[in-house]
Amino acid sequence: MTKKRILFGFLGLIVLYLCYLAYIFILSPKTNLQSIYLIPKDAVFIIESEQPVESWEQISKSEGWRHLKKNAYFSDLTENIQRVDTIFNNNHKLFEFFDNRSLFISIHMISPKDYGIFYVLDLKRIAKLQLLKTYLNTLLDGGYVLSKRTYHEQEILEVHDRESKETMYLAFIKNQLVASYTHTLVEASIDQYMEPVLGRNLNFLEINQKVGHEDLFRMYVQYHYFDDYVQMYSDRPSDWVKRVSENFLFSGFYFDLDENSSLTANGYTNISGVNEYYLEALQKSGTAKRSVPEVAPNSTALYISYGFDSFAEFYKNFESVQQNDPEQFESYQTSIAKMEKFLKIDIKEHFVSWIGDEIAVLQIQSHINKGKNDVALVLKANDAEAAKTNLDFVVEQIRKKTPVKFKAVNYKDYEINFLSIKGFFKMLLGGRFDEFDKPYFTQIDDFVIFSDSPNTLKGIIDKVSEGDILATSEEFKSFDERFDSESSVFVYSNVPLLFDNMYALADAPTKQKMLKNKDFIICFPQVGLQLSPEDDLFESRLVLNYRNVDEVKRTFKTSTSVNKAIPKNQASASTEITDAVFDLVGTWRYYDKNGEQVHKKRF
């Protein structure tokens, strides 16, 4: 009888427990909290996966990940991810139980030179089981110490690693498990629980809804904090980084990893409505096929293309959107009017009328000065003859109105001239073109190319004459095919060449860090980003092409030659002309307004 009582009692307990489980998993009210509400508001990057175990398995088995794990510097940067990899492998069956539950990983700046990683795992209804917290103890051996504390009425578990002296902080907030090795991020998450910011941001939600829940994983970028992240690696981020942070709001991508470990990301980007006239005008102006590779040297490290149905339409939209800021628009009109009155030219007639459907900025590996990047602005003409006629007229007007004259020089049957209008392109097209202050220019077929250095123009002419251009590069053509043929914005980087350019300009400590890191950087030798208008957003595509490092070094050859030294007495010229250093074959002659020669240089 006693045994029966014990048996029935035991069965009764089982029935009660099953009823408890039935209530927890079936009958209890669904009060699930969305993961995004717990991510601290200052996230720079957010990675999301609906199947974290399956996704991680695919990533961790890829050739690219195996290579990155060998890189000491990368291992330091991704120490938390490596630790998760180890835990995952040691507790594979446990983590399988958590699959099909969304996992968010976000990156936050915790100091000017360091970042923290934050995790949110949706446990769904199993979070209601109090046994779950107890079960965490079974994962810990004698090398760990578990302690607890309370923050704003939420319990935080602290798991201290005796060997590494590091502590992981965890908290269960409704159906969510949050964790980080940075305690302030867990505390910030608890603050978000009561007053969510990022999860209620309409600009983020717009992108989040468009991206959906597809493929391997999704990644979001919050550009407001992007320059802070870049500053961790560079004390002086370029103006382009600053503009990205100011002009874009959020990007969202869904990723696919192919058998070659190359990442392709498709998604959407929205732009700031404050002081960003250029992108707004682009968004309204259509797309164009890319043709600048016909004159872009194979030594191009960075190619940034802007395409539109026509430049005239873009310019009209550019003027229109500026009217949203009357003060800014008035200043813009006043500057243009002053220049037109002084030179007796018409901007729309003598410039806008002949510019076609693409303009581009090229950063090219210098063949003259190792410590300086060659930069060129390329304008595609819709009529080559009209371009030449109008530019000849403008140059003649400059000759009449300015005291110092410049006579065109012929180089390999291409004429190189000088556009002595200080800040012209910045005035016409905005601050992103302030690198072209008082440029020289030449015309190659349907392309007019400007640069502050005539050496850059010489190098482009040489490469075009030799046929050593992107349009003939099998590497570039193959990569370019991974994008739509038409776009509003297209950015392409030959990473090994860009690495060399950045290395040449870096200080000694930065050079040391870059060399330590080089194999990690150049293993993605080609990176591309494309933006195309869709409604009030930009449809976006990002491609990182992974290659074996040894293959990269064989295929993407970089210059190691020692460049010519520049004599100190050639380091500057008259501020009325330019600060360029000449290394061409011929003679530059400068004349005053009476036709008297005032300067002569042999080159």
Side-chain angles (χ1 to χ4, degrees):
M1 191 71 176
T2 304
K3 290 184 179 180
K4 286 185 178 181
R5 287 178 180 176
I6 294 174
L7 176 62
F8 285 132
F10 181 70
L11 290 175
L13 289 174
I14 292 177
V15 170
L16 287 174
Y17 184 66
L18 290 175
C19 291
Y20 168 69
L21 292 180
Y23 173 76
I24 290 294
F25 289 103
I26 300 173
L27 300 176
S28 67
K30 294 182 179 180
T31 57
N32 284 354
L33 179 69
Q34 293 186 48
S35 303
I36 193 65
Y37 287 161
L38 296 178
I39 295 179
K41 63 183 180 180
D42 57 355
V44 186
F45 303 102
I46 303 170
I47 299 170
E48 175 192 11
S49 177
E50 292 296 320
Q51 296 181 312
V53 174
E54 181 180 330
S55 298
W56 181 250
E57 278 191 296
Q58 187 174 345
I59 293 170
S60 62
K61 291 178 181 178
S62 68
E63 181 185 350
W65 180 252
R66 288 196 297 270
H67 165 68
L68 295 177
K69 286 177 69 174
K70 296 176 184 176
N71 186 281
Y73 184 75
F74 184 77
S75 295
D76 290 342
L77 289 179
T78 58
E79 186 176 354
N80 288 350
I81 295 177
Q82 297 278 36
R83 189 180 288 110
V84 170
D85 187 28
T86 301
I87 294 174
F88 168 77
N89 289 325
N90 292 341
N91 300 278
H92 191 276
K93 292 297 181 182
L94 169 66
F95 277 86
E96 281 184 348
F97 185 64
F98 292 131
D99 214 5
N100 297 313
R101 289 171 167 82
S102 65
L103 171 68
F104 283 77
I105 302 174
S106 56
I107 295 176
H108 307 255
M109 296 306 300
I110 56 176
S111 75
K113 289 296 182 182
D114 196 15
Y115 65 86
I117 301 179
F118 179 76
Y119 307 89
V120 185
L121 178 65
D122 186 356
L123 300 174
K124 299 184 179 178
R125 288 180 179 269
I126 66 170
K128 297 183 179 182
L129 293 175
Q130 292 301 315
L131 292 175
L132 186 63
K133 295 182 183 179
T134 304
Y135 182 67
L136 287 176
N137 287 316
T138 66
L139 294 175
L140 306 177
D141 56 26
Y144 296 90
V145 176
L146 177 65
S147 59
K148 302 176 182 180
R149 66 182 175 91
T150 301
Y151 177 81
H152 291 182
E153 300 181 358
Q154 288 287 337
E155 184 179 67
I156 296 178
L157 306 178
E158 300 179 341
V159 181
H160 180 71
D161 186 333
R162 295 178 185 271
E163 182 178 350
S164 68
K165 308 300 183 184
E166 292 184 313
T167 301
M168 173 173 271
Y169 304 88
L170 306 99
F172 291 85
I173 306 175
K174 286 202 169 181
N175 54 298
Q176 304 288 345
L177 168 63
V178 302
S180 178
Y181 284 91
T182 304
H183 70 278
T184 54
L185 292 180
V186 173
E187 292 168 1
S189 175
I190 293 172
D191 293 336
Q192 291 293 291
Y193 169 49
M194 300 306 297
E195 296 182 12
V197 176
L198 186 60
R200 302 299 296 274
N201 186 308
L202 294 177
N203 293 311
F204 172 77
L205 292 176
E206 179 182 36
I207 297 299
N208 179 256
Q209 291 168 5
K210 292 287 287 185
V211 170
H213 304 280
E214 300 182 44
D215 294 311
L216 190 65
F217 58 90
R218 277 83 61 201
M219 184 180 79
Y220 303 93
V221 183
Q222 184 173 196
Y223 291 102
H224 181 71
Y225 300 100
F226 183 72
D227 55 344
D228 295 332
Y229 178 80
V230 174
Q231 195 165 345
M232 178 173 62
Y233 303 101
S234 171
D235 291 333
R236 292 185 177 181
S238 71
D239 289 341
W240 289 90
V241 173
K242 183 179 179 182
R243 291 188 190 110
V244 164
S245 289
E246 292 175 346
N247 300 339
F248 293 103
L249 296 173
F250 293 91
S251 282
F253 299 97
Y254 52 91
F255 281 79
D256 181 52
L257 181 69
D258 66 21
E259 66 276 6
N260 297 318
S261 298
S262 292
L263 278 174
T264 300
N266 293 284
Y268 299 88
T269 298
N270 49 20
I271 60 176
S272 170
V274 180
N275 296 326
E276 187 30 61
Y277 311 114
Y278 199 83
L279 285 172
E280 188 176 346
L282 275 172
Q283 211 276 335
K284 298 174 182 291
S285 302
T287 61
K289 289 187 176 181
R290 296 179 288 278
S291 55
V292 168
E294 295 175 22
V295 292
N298 224 347
S299 53
T300 297
L302 188 64
Y303 162 37
I304 304 173
S305 167
Y306 302 95
F308 13 75
D309 292 337
S310 73
F311 184 78
E313 180 182 352
F314 163 75
Y315 191 73
K316 179 181 177 181
N317 289 329
F318 184 56
E319 288 189 310
S320 176
V321 297
Q322 287 189 80
Q323 295 179 37
N324 296 328
D325 185 341
E327 185 177 342
Q328 161 70 22
F329 185 58
E330 183 180 356
S331 174
Y332 171 78
Q333 284 189 310
T334 300
S335 299
I336 294 291
K338 283 182 179 180
M339 181 177 61
E340 289 180 322
K341 182 178 180 180
F342 176 70
L343 294 176
K344 297 190 182 305
I345 63 174
D346 185 295
I347 290 296
K348 292 183 179 178
E349 177 184 352
H350 298 116
F351 276 96
V352 175
S353 66
W354 58 263
I355 301 176
D357 58 4
E358 183 185 11
I359 64 177
V361 176
L362 305 177
Q363 185 191 110
I364 308 163
Q365 189 174 56
S366 176
H367 70 293
I368 297 295
N369 189 348
K370 190 72 172 179
K372 184 178 181 181
N373 292 326
D374 285 352
V375 182
L377 171 65
V378 184
L379 308 182
K380 170 74 179 298
N382 53 32
D383 185 325
E385 283 301 318
K388 179 171 174 32
T389 299
N390 283 290
L391 284 170
D392 285 346
F393 176 79
V394 172
V395 169
E396 177 61 19
Q397 292 302 103
I398 293 173
R399 189 191 68 78
K400 292 177 180 178
K401 295 292 183 178
T402 58
V404 178
K405 314 303 171 188
F406 172 80
K407 286 193 174 181
V409 170
N410 186 285
Y411 179 74
K412 292 189 176 181
D413 295 328
Y414 293 99
E415 188 177 86
I416 296 178
N417 223 314
F418 183 46
L419 189 68
S420 181
I421 308 177
K422 184 173 178 63
F424 171 74
F425 287 110
K426 179 180 180 180
M427 187 190 326
L428 181 67
L429 298 173
R432 56 183 37 78
F433 297 100
D434 56 7
E435 293 174 283
F436 308 97
D437 191 32
K438 296 173 71 175
Y440 296 83
F441 68 92
T442 191
Q443 184 170 346
I444 302 176
D445 300 327
D446 293 335
F447 302 93
V448 181
I449 308 168
F450 297 84
S451 177
D452 275 13
S453 168
N455 286 322
T456 302
L457 301 181
K458 175 205 170 187
I460 292 174
I461 291 170
D462 286 342
K463 294 296 185 181
V464 172
S465 300
E466 297 163 5
D468 189 18
I469 52 178
L470 290 182
T472 63
S473 166
E474 292 301 324
E475 294 290 339
F476 173 78
K477 288 193 293 183
S478 176
F479 185 74
D480 188 52
E481 288 175 354
R482 303 180 69 168
F483 297 88
D484 296 334
S485 60
E486 296 188 10
S487 58
S488 290
V489 180
F490 177 76
V491 180
Y492 166 78
S493 177
N494 180 319
V495 176
L497 289 180
L498 188 63
F499 180 94
D500 281 359
N501 284 357
M502 295 175 66
Y503 182 82
L505 298 173
D507 57 24
T510 305
K511 284 183 176 180
Q512 186 177 7
K513 292 178 182 178
M514 290 179 71
L515 285 177
K516 183 179 179 181
N517 216 354
K518 183 175 182 179
D519 283 357
F520 155 62
I521 296 173
I522 67 171
C523 69
F524 296 97
Q526 293 171 299
V527 175
L529 172 67
Q530 176 179 274
L531 303 178
S532 301
E534 180 176 304
D535 298 328
D536 59 342
L537 302 174
F538 280 109
E539 187 174 4
S540 312
R541 174 172 294 179
L542 173 69
V543 179
L544 290 82
N545 188 27
Y546 175 78
R547 298 280 286 273
N548 179 277
V549 171
D550 293 333
E551 185 181 350
V552 170
K553 292 176 180 178
R554 288 194 303 268
T555 306
F556 296 86
K557 295 180 180 178
T558 58
S559 173
T560 56
S561 60
V562 178
N563 292 297
K564 300 177 183 179
I566 306 297
K568 289 183 179 180
N569 61 357
Q570 293 183 12
S572 62
S574 169
T575 56
E576 197 61 42
I577 305 167
T578 183
D579 62 354
V581 177
F582 310 125
D583 190 43
L584 305 176
V585 179
T587 302
W588 296 101
R589 292 184 175 86
Y590 300 91
Y591 300 83
D592 63 21
K593 62 183 178 181
N594 298 317
E596 297 295 326
Q597 182 175 310
V598 296
H599 183 67
K600 177 178 179 180
K601 179 181 286 290
R602 183 69 186 170
F603 57 90

